[in-house]
């Protein structure tokens, strides 16, 4: 048994309520084989475990490691040539993206996440060609990368059964394209087809391969309503119940998706999922920007979780998610960086600030986000949306010892008035350069700007070398296809959604 005693100026063990962090001054965590054995004052725990290996962070705040509850890729779409279009166009604009080894790609974003205090990620994989073997091989590389760098990953492969490019059947959309793009796009989309049974098999195989793994767990992900059939959704729900794993599902990310749900079901997407019986605490809705007030009540009543992807919602013109209403209803909320945050990276400390400030709706009420509330979303709330559940997210006995140490003195230098509560000042002033150390399962995976298991410079150099080569013939052909198809995708959505017919209930301005 290995006992580790880690002390800090302040230990924030969790969040009691949206105004109150649980803070221990001169605190410490005692961990045994990566699991927290005790949390308390340093002096008390030192007496309890005199044999423990001691590490002290005298100027630092220790927080539970952050959970990035919605993540997809390493190199960002912008890096790979796709600007911030509206979501529906952005899918089309990503067709030309370069291919990159997924082990390296996964490390690329893992560096950014860990360096900003993220210890667990919900990795939602998908959108691959090549059938079961290719997807299984790719998933294996993603999972290997997280294990190699020492980060926790809740992995899912997004199930897409239909409507792969726009909100209608692939065949119907392709049939309207001029030659040769009709056949080329049809072939491209067909290559992404996966028999439903293979999605289930992939989950089973990956679950068996990761049985007993401490860093990686497998869960399920219906990709979105338009991508799934009702039969598929029900089957995924049954699978998740039988395997006791959560599901993460993009939903109502855009107004166009709200309209899609109305056309397909005659009701809202949330009402439809509720009628199918697939909502509940095991289900997390990614984005949820366009939930109606009634939808929010259904989400709250069923205990369904929501993942707030604040940066992504801005970048892809999705809109402003009604976070303050979700919070008021007591919904469990996680925080996701999605493809990339507002600064074009995966910086959770930046995302905390954004989410804190975006929802400061006009008025003098108490319903705008608080720093403890935002930290809870990025820790315990997010944890509940992953396959790790309540084994992470707080620093308390029995949970895994995943923590971030932030250098308080450096973050607030040269002065911080103590009238501002510590956590409020920390959330608003600490930046990723103030992250001094990151622990996952009691092991230091990052300290003083260096990763302890993987050489970041070597990985980045390898990525640069690979992408310095010219596009392969397959990449050239896919780029041509993407550029040719893009205007047709735009045309598909002409008049699809009438913004004037939708009255906002979450206001930041008024016309009169
Ligand atoms: Zn997403």
């Amino acid at each position: 048994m290995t006992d580790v005693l880690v002390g800090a100026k302040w230990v924030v063990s969790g969040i009691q309520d949206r105004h109150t962090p649980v803070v221990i001054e001169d605190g410490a965590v005692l961990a045994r084989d990566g699991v927290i054995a005790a949390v308390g004052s340093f002096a008390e725990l030192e007496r309890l475990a005199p044999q423990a290996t001691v590490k002290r962070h005298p100027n630092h705040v220790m927080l539970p490691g952050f959970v990035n509850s919605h993540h997809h890729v390493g190199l960002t779409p912008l890096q790979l040539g796709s600007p911030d279009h509206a979501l529906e166009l952005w899918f089309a604009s990503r067709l030309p993206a370069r291919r990159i080894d997924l082990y390296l790609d996964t490390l690329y974003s893992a560096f950014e996440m860990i360096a900003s205090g993220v210890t667990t990620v919900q990795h939602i994989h998908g959108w691959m060609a090549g059938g079961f073997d290719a997807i299984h091989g790719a998933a294996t590389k993603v999972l290997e990368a997280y294990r190699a760098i020492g980060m926790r990953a809740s992995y899912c492969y997004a199930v897409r059964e239909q409507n792969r490019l726009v909100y209608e059947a692939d065949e119907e959309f392709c049939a309207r394209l001029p030659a040769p793009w009709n056949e080329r796009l049809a072939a491209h989309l067909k290559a992404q087809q996966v028999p439903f049974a293979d999605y289930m098999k992939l989950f089973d195989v990956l679950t068996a391969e990761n049985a007993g793994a401490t860093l990686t767990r497998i869960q399920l992900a219906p990709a979105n309503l338009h991508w799934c059939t009702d039969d598929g959704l029900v089957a995924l729900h049954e699978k998740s119940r039988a395997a006791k794993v959560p599901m993460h599902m993009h939903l109502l990310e855009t107004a166009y998706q709200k309209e899609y749900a109305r056309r397909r079901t005659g009701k809202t997407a949330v009402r439809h999922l509720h009628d199918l019986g697939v909502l509940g605490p095991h289900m997390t809705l990614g984005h949820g920007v366009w939930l109606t007030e009634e939808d929010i009540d259904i989400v709250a009543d069923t205990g369904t979780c929501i993942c707030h992807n604040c940066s992504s919602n801005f970048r892809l013109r999705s809109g402003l998610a009604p976070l303050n209403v979700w919070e008021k209803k007591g919904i469990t909320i996680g925080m996701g960086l999605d493809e990339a945050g507002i600064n074009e990276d995966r910086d959770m400390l930046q995302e905390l600030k954004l989410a804190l400030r975006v929802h400061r709706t006009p008025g003098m009420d108490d319903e705008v986000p608080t720093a403890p509330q935002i930290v809870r979303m990025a820790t315990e709330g997010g944890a509940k949306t992953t396959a790790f559940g309540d084994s992470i997210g707080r620093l308390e006995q029995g949970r895994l010892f995943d923590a971030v140490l932030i250098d308080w003195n450096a973050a607030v230098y040269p002065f911080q008035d103590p009238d501002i509560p510590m956590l409020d000042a920390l959330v608003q002033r600490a930046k990723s350069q103030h992250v001094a150390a990151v622990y996952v399962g009691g092991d230091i995976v990052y300290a003083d700007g260096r990763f302890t298991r993987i050489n970041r410079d070597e990985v980045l150099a390898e990525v640069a070398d690979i992408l310095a080569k010219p596009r392969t013939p397959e990449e050239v052909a896919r780029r041509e296809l993407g550029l040719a198809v893009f205007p047709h995708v735009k045309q598909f959505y002409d008049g699809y959604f009438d913004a004037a017919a939708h009255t906002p209930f979450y206001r930041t301005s008024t016309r009169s």
Side-chain angles (χ1 to χ4, degrees):
M1 281 196 297
T2 316
D3 282 3
V4 184
L5 180 61
V6 184
K9 181 183 178 74
W10 286 293
V11 171
V12 180
S13 63
I15 304 299
Q16 186 178 313
D17 60 49
R18 62 189 290 269
H19 297 286
T20 323
V22 183
V23 182
I24 305 159
E25 206 166 339
D26 292 324
V29 169
L30 176 67
R32 186 162 299 157
D33 297 331
V35 178
I36 298 173
V39 181
S41 78
F42 184 86
E44 174 196 335
L45 296 192
E46 198 178 30
R47 277 196 300 277
L48 203 67
Q51 80 292 355
T53 306
V54 174
K55 176 82 183 161
R56 297 196 83 162
H57 300 274
N59 306 317
H60 300 70
V61 184
M62 186 193 298
L63 298 165
F66 297 134
V67 180
N68 176 8
S69 306
H70 191 113
H71 172 77
H72 298 285
V73 293
L75 270 79
T76 71
L78 186 88
Q79 277 180 294
L80 296 175
S82 178
D84 286 359
H85 293 292
L87 177 83
E88 287 77 8
L89 297 178
W90 181 74
F91 285 129
S93 78
R94 291 178 68 185
L95 267 174
R98 300 286 302 272
R99 292 222 188 281
I100 173 105
D101 178 86
L102 280 176
Y103 178 79
L104 299 174
D105 192 58
T106 302
L107 287 179
Y108 179 79
S109 46
F111 291 138
E112 294 181 343
M113 285 191 265
I114 292 172
S116 71
V118 175
T119 52
T120 298
V121 63
Q122 176 74 60
H123 189 112
I124 308 163
H125 198 182
W127 294 264
M128 283 197 54
F132 179 85
D133 289 341
I135 294 171
H136 176 245
T140 303
K141 283 194 169 194
V142 169
L143 290 158
E144 268 174 21
Y146 287 120
R147 284 194 287 266
I149 200 167
M151 182 174 180
R152 249 179 252 291
S154 179
Y155 175 95
C156 49
Y157 193 85
V159 173
R160 294 192 309 150
E161 305 176 80
Q162 58 184 13
N163 305 338
R164 288 174 184 80
L165 190 59
V166 297
Y167 301 158
E168 75 169 345
D170 298 348
E171 308 74 46
E172 284 171 39
F173 181 68
C174 290
R176 288 203 307 277
L177 296 185
W181 310 115
N182 49 1
E183 288 183 6
R184 285 176 63 176
L185 183 66
H188 174 82
L189 297 177
K190 194 159 187 284
Q192 294 178 16
Q193 283 182 21
V194 178
F196 192 82
D198 279 2
Y199 283 118
M200 299 289 112
K201 183 175 149 194
L202 181 69
F203 171 78
D204 290 337
V205 169
L206 291 174
T207 299
E209 287 171 353
N210 287 271
T214 53
L215 291 175
T216 49
R217 290 189 188 175
I218 311 299
Q219 63 159 81
L220 291 161
N224 199 327
L225 181 63
H226 64 270
W227 280 318
C228 291
T229 63
D230 289 351
D231 287 348
L233 287 166
V234 170
L236 282 161
H237 171 71
E238 283 166 4
K239 186 85 173 166
S240 93
R241 296 298 281 259
K244 297 189 173 55
V245 298
M247 296 198 287
H248 194 113
M249 180 177 184
H250 293 84
L251 202 77
L252 295 167
E253 180 170 352
T254 69
Y256 295 87
Q257 293 179 1
K258 180 179 182 179
E259 173 61 14
Y260 168 81
R262 190 193 66 77
R263 291 184 187 195
R264 167 166 154 184
T265 70
K267 44 196 165 184
T268 71
V270 169
R271 168 59 68 187
H272 182 64
L273 294 184
H274 187 43
D275 290 349
L276 288 178
V278 303
L279 296 179
H282 64 298
M283 173 69 99
T284 296
L285 307 178
H287 296 276
V289 177
W290 290 83
L291 268 66
T292 65
E293 288 163 292
E294 190 198 351
D295 291 341
I296 294 171
D297 285 338
I298 293 172
V299 167
D301 290 347
T302 53
T304 302
C305 310
I306 299 178
C307 181
H308 183 38
N309 300 339
C310 195
S311 283
S312 167
N313 294 341
F314 279 124
R315 293 189 59 169
L316 302 182
R317 303 179 62 176
S318 302
L320 192 58
L323 175 71
N324 298 344
V325 184
W326 301 343
E327 175 68 20
K328 202 173 167 188
K329 299 278 181 180
I331 294 168
T332 298
I333 308 164
M335 195 178 291
L337 288 160
D338 215 339
E339 261 85 357
I342 207 86
N343 280 351
E344 181 55 13
D345 57 17
R346 271 53 64 108
D347 183 340
M348 191 54 111
L349 286 168
Q350 175 68 53
E351 191 73 5
L352 299 183
K353 293 172 183 60
L354 186 72
L356 180 69
R357 286 169 172 147
V358 161
H359 301 278
R360 297 184 66 74
T361 45
M364 296 183 187
D365 55 48
D366 180 39
E367 291 175 11
V368 296
T370 63
Q373 173 193 338
I374 294 293
V375 169
R376 183 178 57 193
M377 287 165 59
T379 55
E380 190 176 357
K384 284 180 182 164
T385 73
T386 74
F388 293 95
D390 59 11
S391 68
I392 56 169
R394 291 175 72 96
L395 298 173
E396 62 184 24
Q397 192 181 10
R399 298 202 189 213
L400 298 161
F401 180 34
D402 297 354
V404 52
L405 274 298
I406 299 176
D407 186 335
W408 167 262
N409 286 7
V412 303
Y413 184 82
F415 179 69
Q416 175 57 53
D417 192 291
D419 276 357
I420 301 294
M422 179 274 289
L423 195 62
D424 287 58
L426 190 82
V427 166
Q428 295 179 75
R429 298 195 59 188
K431 301 185 174 63
S432 59
Q433 70 259 33
H434 305 128
V435 170
V438 175
Y439 289 77
V440 177
D443 294 330
I444 295 184
V445 298
Y446 177 78
D448 305 321
R450 298 180 75 86
F451 295 85
T452 56
R453 301 178 181 196
I454 300 272
N455 185 316
R456 174 168 48 184
D457 293 345
E458 284 176 14
V459 170
L460 298 192
E462 211 176 332
V463 170
D465 281 351
I466 291 168
L467 292 176
K469 297 192 178 83
R471 279 185 154 87
T472 64
E474 186 275 334
E475 287 174 334
V476 169
R478 200 155 33 76
R479 181 167 181 273
E480 282 174 4
L481 177 64
L483 294 175
V485 164
F486 187 86
H488 298 278
V489 171
K490 191 157 195 289
Q491 198 175 29
F492 173 82
Y493 291 105
D494 273 356
Y496 191 91
F497 168 72
D498 178 11
H502 295 257
T503 313
F505 65 91
Y506 197 69
R507 291 177 186 280
T508 55
S509 64
T510 57
R511 182 167 285 145
S512 56

